[in-house]
């Protein structure tokens, strides 16, 4: 079974890796395209604020292309407001 999310997602993986991007889950893997590593949240209210409002002036994102991780590494997903993340438009 394949699950593709319509809106961008913030993806929290084990070992402290946090990404934003387009997500598809299939065959035991999560694939993140247009992936941006979230190096600094740059918010005062955490990842929820980043998801809702998009990158802030103090947010630091690094382009990383495509990331593939096993589902066992996935901690959680946070749905983003698509209009707050124009860089991740479908």
């Amino acid at each position: 079974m394949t699950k593709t999310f319509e809106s961008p997602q913030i993806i929290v993986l084990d070992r402290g890796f946090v990404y934003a991007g387009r997500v598809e889950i299939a065959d035991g893997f999560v694939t993140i395209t247009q992936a941006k590593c979230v190096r600094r949240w740059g918010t005062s209210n955490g990842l929820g604020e980043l998801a809702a409002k998009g990158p802030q002036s103090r947010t630091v994102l690094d382009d990383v292309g495509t990331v593939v991780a096993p589902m066992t590494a996935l901690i959680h997903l946070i749905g983003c407001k698509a209009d707050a993340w124009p860089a991740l438009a479908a």
Side-chain angles (χ1 to χ4, degrees):
M1 182 173 143
T2 299
K3 168 72 175 165
T4 302
F5 292 82
E6 295 297 318
S7 67
Q9 302 286 308
I10 291 177
I11 304 94
V12 179
L13 300 177
D14 65 4
R15 301 181 192 221
F17 288 96
V18 179
Y19 296 96
R22 310 297 301 188
V23 173
E24 180 178 277
I25 295 174
D27 301 321
F29 290 90
V30 57
T31 300
I32 311 160
T33 56
Q34 296 177 275
K36 300 188 179 307
C37 181
V38 181
R39 187 162 24 119
R40 182 176 302 137
W41 301 354
T43 65
S44 57
N45 290 310
L47 289 176
E49 179 182 1
L50 187 60
K53 295 181 179 178
Q56 303 298 297
S57 61
R58 294 180 51 199
T59 301
V60 178
L61 304 172
D62 300 315
D63 291 328
V64 293
T66 299
V67 174
V68 179
M71 283 297 295
T72 57
L74 180 64
I75 304 299
H76 64 269
L77 299 169
I78 302 170
C80 296
K81 290 190 177 179
D83 60 348
W85 287 87
L88 300 177

